[in-house]
Amino acid sequence: MPIVAEKALESIARTALEAYDLPSPVTVRLLGLGLNAVYGIHSGDGASPLVLRIHRPGYRTTQNTRSELYFLQQIAERSIDPMTPRPVPARDGRLVVEVRDIETPRHCDLTTWVAGQEYRPGCGLGPRAIQQLGRAIAQVHNVADQLSAAEVEFPRWDADGMFTAASPYNPQLSLDEILAPADRATFDEIADRTRVVYETLAQHPRTFGVIHGDFILGNCYLRRRPGGWAAGIFDFDDCGWGFYLYDLCPMLGNLAGLPGAVFGKVSFSSMRRALLDGYRSVRPFPAEWEAYLPVLMAARHANHCLLTAGPEVSETPVDDAKWRMEMARRCLELAGR
């Protein structure tokens, strides 16, 4: 991102921080410029750092973000194991601060910091840590079971939201513009198979609710503690109404080595078993549902073709879609393994 844009975003961050009671001096450090601009905030009291997000325009509404923060409050109030960001209210109690005196108004929020570090297969991530990740997302799903549409306003990650122009990603390019004919056929096959899986899951209780939407290793931190691991989950920016089973599949894609092959180093089947064992220690997970996982792992990659179908996200949407569909085919090949 150009330096001028970085300076403009930092100015927005500092303007938003004026709404909070933070001891001086307040320092602002850029952590990442992705779909959102994310800053680490350090204040003069020497307390743990905070995280400020400046949300990209045209994706999440302010009410979506308020709902996300309400969800995080509910997780915190139940004192469950996974560490998650806790919203920090502004001086007047607002969870979302809007900066309007700019060309494109932006909304921002401030949360606590999730401590720990990222681990990966073959680099410190073993079965016990993976079990804790499965347990953590199951506990989040238990909280999600208590939410109602009257309390929160979220996009829907059902089959239409994942595979059509109705996607919450608001794609600017059509599928035919970014997918070669063979890839388009595979995309449609995955969409059809996913829709059948969702229709089957919908016949069972506690299968649909608010999901994280981007449960990947990069959004999880782990810390060693006496007796085991502590897991942290952050970046709930894609949370919405969806099927809980799908929420496991971005993580399973990581564990399968997509991207970054780990085959031959650690068995995917053993890592999958560890994740599901952790999940099953908290929530029911019938054995027959395991057959749906390769399709939903493929669905994750196919769905992301729509995420990158716009210049504000990717400068190479055609190349990104080609890579995603190759990964989707590799996921389908996992069936029966």
Side-chain angles (χ1 to χ4, degrees):
M1 181 173 290
I3 294 177
V4 173
E6 289 187 23
K7 289 182 177 179
L9 286 168
E10 183 175 330
S11 176
I12 293 172
R14 294 187 179 278
T15 299
L17 288 171
E18 294 173 1
Y20 297 86
D21 282 324
L22 299 178
S24 298
V26 175
T27 60
V28 177
R29 179 170 65 91
L30 180 66
L31 299 178
L33 288 174
L35 299 181
N36 300 318
V38 183
Y39 291 87
I41 309 300
H42 296 258
S43 58
D45 58 1
S48 297
L50 303 173
V51 176
L52 177 78
R53 295 184 301 174
I54 303 175
H55 294 263
R56 66 182 170 112
Y59 179 45
R60 304 286 272 197
T61 66
T62 55
Q63 188 55 40
N64 290 157
T65 301
R66 288 191 191 98
S67 296
E68 174 191 344
L69 298 170
Y70 175 78
F71 183 23
L72 291 173
Q73 284 181 322
Q74 298 305 300
I75 295 172
E77 288 178 5
R78 285 163 172 77
S79 300
I80 62 176
D81 280 350
M83 301 169 290
T84 55
R86 298 190 177 201
V88 177
R91 187 179 303 110
D92 59 6
R94 286 177 296 166
L95 295 182
V96 177
V97 171
E98 297 182 74
V99 178
R100 293 187 171 276
D101 57 343
I102 51 178
E103 182 177 351
T104 303
R106 307 289 286 268
H107 69 275
C108 312
D109 64 78
L110 191 66
T111 64
T112 58
W113 185 280
V114 175
Q117 68 182 85
E118 179 185 345
Y119 289 84
R120 291 196 172 268
C123 297
L125 186 68
R128 290 186 179 180
I130 294 171
Q131 282 184 354
Q132 188 59 30
L133 291 175
R135 179 178 176 82
I137 194 64
Q139 290 174 314
V140 169
H141 290 168
N142 278 347
V143 177
D145 275 341
Q146 311 304 313
L147 298 178
S148 70
E151 296 176 286
V152 292
E153 180 182 303
F154 284 126
R156 292 180 67 87
W157 292 114
D158 53 16
D160 285 339
M162 290 179 65
F163 300 111
T164 73
S167 169
Y169 288 144
N170 302 317
Q172 297 181 30
L173 301 175
S174 71
L175 289 170
D176 289 331
E177 290 179 279
I178 61 174
L179 292 176
D183 285 341
R184 178 59 197 269
T186 302
F187 181 98
D188 291 342
E189 176 194 351
I190 292 169
D192 290 343
R193 293 175 66 178
T194 300
R195 194 177 297 274
V196 171
V197 170
Y198 285 172
E199 288 172 354
T200 302
L201 292 174
Q203 299 174 27
H204 299 271
R206 299 182 68 195
T207 57
F208 188 87
V210 177
I211 63 173
H212 181 281
D214 197 21
F215 180 56
I216 58 175
L217 290 174
N219 289 334
C220 295
Y221 278 168
L222 287 157
R223 286 191 295 116
R224 292 185 183 274
R225 62 181 179 185
W229 291 87
I233 305 174
F234 52 94
D235 195 359
F236 282 70
D237 194 50
D238 281 333
C239 67
W241 297 104
F243 285 92
Y244 295 130
L245 184 61
Y246 172 77
D247 224 8
L248 291 166
C249 292
M251 178 66 69
L252 286 171
N254 289 161
L255 298 179
L258 309 173
V262 297
F263 295 117
K265 296 180 182 177
V266 186
S267 167
F268 170 64
S269 61
S270 67
M271 291 189 291
R272 177 179 60 190
R273 183 167 58 252
L275 187 73
L276 298 184
D277 285 348
Y279 193 90
R280 286 181 170 120
S281 71
V282 175
R283 285 179 66 87
F285 189 106
E288 59 267 24
W289 290 0
E290 293 188 36
Y292 304 145
L293 294 174
V295 171
L296 297 187
M297 289 168 65
R300 157 74 171 189
H301 286 290
N303 167 246
H304 267 50
C305 292
L306 295 172
L307 169 64
T308 55
E312 80 287 356
V313 178
S314 171
E315 297 179 353
T316 57
V318 174
D319 291 340
D320 293 342
K322 180 179 180 180
W323 179 83
R324 284 289 180 182
M325 293 312 300
E326 175 59 29
M327 295 301 100
R329 279 188 284 271
R330 290 182 63 184
C331 289
L332 293 176
E333 292 170 359
L334 292 171
R337 294 184 61 165

